[in-house]
Amino acid sequence: MADLVLYTNPMSRGRIARWMLEEIGQPYETQILGYGEGMKSADYLAINPLGKVPALTHGDKVTTEAAAICAYLADAFPEAGLAPELSERADYYRWLFFVAGPLEACVVGRALGFEVPEEKYRMAGYGRYGDMLGALEGALSQRDYIAGNTFTAADVYVGAQVNWGLQFGTFEARPAFTAYAQRLASRPAFKRANELDDALMPKDG
């Protein structure tokens, strides 16, 4: 049995964790959980009390939340070279948590039809949609990858969000976003991860 176990579903953010696992190149086991009974079983709730995927176990350690899984794996397997040196991590942390926090909340809320009243914007933990995309666009216009000119674990999370945003229309197709998504789509680990999850997707009919 592999020391790393990914609990996931191919129609979930577990695809992000799968991509990260493919990037580090370590053996891992996959446990596919269905929505409903599978994710709400007593065994799985002992791993993630929210009954959501992804979750990652590494021996007796448990990590949930896709961005945290990316950061954890980069630190747990430094030989993969997916985290900058500590002195160079400002942008790495900044953009990883910007996209995982305020940007995703803003984009998902907007897609669901939630709009923060103008007079209450200061209460929200994120800004306006245009400001969110503008900040990310500005960063990606200046560099090949989100933390500089080298691919890192932050690009797994940020790249997945940009890719999905373009695919589902929640991101405007700005040149900086499309060029970034194209760069990431050429990575062998990205292709392997998508092939594995696509093969697990329910078949029509």
Side-chain angles (χ1 to χ4, degrees):
M1 183 175 179
D3 198 32
L4 290 164
V5 181
L6 172 65
Y7 297 84
T8 187
N9 182 289
M11 296 184 292
S12 76
R13 289 171 177 80
R15 295 180 79 107
I16 303 173
R18 164 96 69 186
W19 177 11
M20 184 64 194
L21 283 161
E22 291 296 321
E23 289 285 356
I24 66 169
Q26 296 293 320
Y28 65 94
E29 180 183 340
T30 305
Q31 293 286 334
I32 304 298
L33 300 176
Y35 287 99
E37 184 177 347
M39 293 185 198
K40 305 304 181 184
S41 69
D43 287 346
Y44 186 62
L45 290 173
I47 294 170
N48 185 356
L50 287 179
K52 293 179 176 288
V53 293
L56 179 80
T57 57
H58 183 199
D60 60 355
K61 301 177 180 67
V62 177
T63 308
T64 64
E65 315 315 315
I69 290 171
C70 290
Y72 173 79
L73 287 172
D75 287 343
F77 299 95
E79 63 274 19
L82 293 173
E85 295 295 326
L86 283 173
S87 62
E88 301 296 325
R89 288 196 188 180
D91 280 345
Y92 173 80
Y93 288 132
R94 176 187 180 182
W95 295 108
L96 174 60
F97 293 113
F98 171 76
V99 172
L103 188 141
E104 186 177 358
C106 179
V107 169
V108 171
R110 185 173 185 268
L112 294 173
F114 301 143
E115 294 289 346
V116 178
E118 184 66 27
E119 69 276 11
K120 294 185 177 180
Y121 257 110
R122 286 196 293 180
M123 294 177 62
Y126 52 83
R128 294 168 177 80
Y129 174 78
D131 295 339
M132 296 283 100
L133 292 193
L136 185 60
E137 179 187 27
L140 291 174
S141 297
Q142 300 172 29
R143 59 194 79 172
D144 287 341
Y145 299 103
I146 194 59
N149 292 317
T150 301
F151 178 88
T152 67
D155 290 294
V156 175
Y157 190 86
V158 175
Q161 294 294 341
V162 170
N163 187 56
W164 286 341
L166 294 172
Q167 181 180 351
F168 295 109
T170 56
F171 270 49
E172 296 170 358
R174 302 181 184 185
F177 297 153
T178 56
Y180 179 59
Q182 288 168 1
R183 277 194 294 278
L184 299 183
S186 69
R187 294 187 65 79
F190 177 89
K191 295 177 182 178
R192 287 195 307 272
N194 277 288
E195 287 170 0
L196 289 166
D197 277 323
D198 287 347
L200 294 167
M201 291 288 284
K203 302 298 186 289
D204 292 336

